[in-house]
Amino acid sequence: MTATLGNRVKLKKSQKALNKLFWRKIVPPLVALAIFLVLWQLLCLNPNFKLPGPIETFSETFDPFIIHPFFDNGESDKGLGWQILSSLGRVGLGFSLSAIAGITLGILIGVNPLVYNAVDPIFQVLRTVPPLAWLPISLAAFQQANPSAIFVIFITSIWPILINTTVGVQQIPQDYINVAKVLRLKGPKYFFKIVFPATVPYIFTGLRIGIGLSWLAIVAAEMLVGGVGIGSFIWDAYNTTTETNLSEIILALIYVGLVGLFLDRLVGFVASKVVADQK
């Protein structure tokens, strides 16, 4: 009898939690989305507003871009699924390289004040250079579009990772450093016991900013380097602009936003697990 009552109480609590989640986290975004779509459709009723509305966009792109995202007609005539996967491949490689380099350099610079004072002005200048300004340099250096796009991602996303990691190392509490001296922690033990747990929140802040910048950079870079990729798809559709192509561009932008949201939430989820394990 007691066990039955306990199960009922737990069930009611879980139902309340689900209802709370539904009304606070699910309903408000859906309402906001509905309002946005209605306003968008109303704007398109104006004959001077040349963009297609949500209904027109959906009907014109449903086949094949929505129901067949992975069609392949050769060369760059591919579905949005392949275009996004190609862009994600470049982002994955460029971002991984920037994460490795940024975290490593950030730790080395953060533990040495002299090195930090020497390189900080240089980094502050380089990080303000717009991503696309690096593209001519990378094209001249690599002579190929794909490595050039990856380099643009790398040079764009490394700065928030490097700077946040450096700040994290510099913010290690003095008590932690004193404990390391008492326990004579050096090398890998000092890193895994003191440096990494203290700096991991800063590192993931940099990674989260970096992944967003990577996705922004690849879309812009692909517009110029061509080939297969979501940026190239948008640019090609614009260069052959028709009413149908405008719908394709809008759909591609929606996909870009959704993928960007997914990448941000993915890094945030990993960060929450790693940071929780360090506490």
Side-chain angles (χ1 to χ4, degrees):
M1 184 69 178
T2 304
T4 303
L5 290 173
N7 291 333
R8 288 180 179 177
V9 171
K10 290 181 180 179
L11 181 60
K12 288 183 178 180
K13 287 183 177 180
S14 63
Q15 289 176 343
K16 287 182 179 179
L18 289 174
N19 289 333
K20 185 178 180 180
L21 176 66
F22 177 77
W23 288 106
R24 290 191 177 184
K25 297 293 185 180
I26 298 178
V27 172
L30 292 178
V31 172
L33 177 61
I35 293 173
F36 172 77
L37 292 175
V38 169
L39 292 176
W40 178 11
Q41 188 65 46
L42 290 175
L43 280 174
C44 293
L45 296 178
N46 185 345
N48 295 323
F49 195 78
K50 300 301 182 181
L51 294 179
I55 297 175
E56 186 179 357
T57 298
F58 179 81
S59 62
E60 290 179 348
T61 59
F62 181 74
D63 188 7
F65 292 104
I66 295 178
I67 60 171
H68 299 297
F70 291 99
F71 73 83
D72 187 348
N73 294 329
E75 296 185 357
S76 60
D77 187 11
K78 302 177 186 294
L80 285 174
W82 292 121
Q83 306 283 357
I84 289 174
L85 286 178
S86 180
S87 298
L88 283 174
R90 297 187 182 103
V91 168
L93 181 55
F95 177 72
S96 298
L97 293 173
S98 69
I100 294 170
I103 294 172
T104 303
L105 290 174
I107 292 172
L108 294 176
I109 294 169
V111 298
N112 193 318
L114 181 61
V115 175
Y116 172 78
N117 292 331
V119 301
D120 182 63
I122 300 173
F123 289 164
Q124 295 302 329
V125 171
L126 292 178
R127 76 181 183 86
T128 61
V129 177
L132 291 185
W134 291 103
L135 191 57
I137 300 296
S138 61
L139 285 170
F142 296 106
Q143 299 292 314
Q144 294 182 19
N146 197 52
S148 300
I150 293 171
F151 174 79
V152 170
I153 297 168
F154 170 83
I155 202 68
T156 302
S157 59
I158 191 174
W159 305 119
I161 301 171
L162 190 155
I163 292 172
N164 276 275
T165 302
T166 301
V167 171
V169 173
Q170 293 173 335
Q171 297 298 318
I172 295 176
Q174 187 61 41
D175 291 343
Y176 288 17
I177 298 174
N178 294 336
V179 169
K181 290 179 179 179
V182 171
L183 298 177
R184 297 180 179 179
L185 297 177
K186 296 181 180 180
K189 287 186 177 180
Y190 177 73
F191 173 78
F192 288 107
K193 296 292 185 181
I194 302 296
V195 175
F196 184 72
T199 60
V200 69
Y202 295 87
I203 291 174
F204 273 100
T205 298
L207 291 174
R208 197 165 184 177
I209 297 172
I211 193 65
L213 292 177
S214 296
W215 189 237
L216 290 174
I218 189 57
V219 172
E222 287 177 343
M223 287 184 177
L224 299 181
V225 300
V228 179
I230 192 65
S232 302
F233 175 87
I234 293 172
W235 190 245
D236 290 343
Y238 172 76
N239 286 329
T240 55
T241 300
T242 63
E243 290 185 2
T244 302
N245 283 355
L246 285 176
S247 296
E248 294 173 6
I249 293 172
I250 292 172
L251 179 66
L253 292 177
I254 293 172
Y255 279 23
V256 167
L258 291 175
V259 173
L261 175 64
F262 170 76
L263 293 175
D264 178 76
R265 292 293 186 267
L266 178 62
V267 176
F269 173 76
V270 175
S272 65
K273 298 301 180 182
V274 175
V275 172
D277 291 340
Q278 300 302 318
K279 294 182 178 180

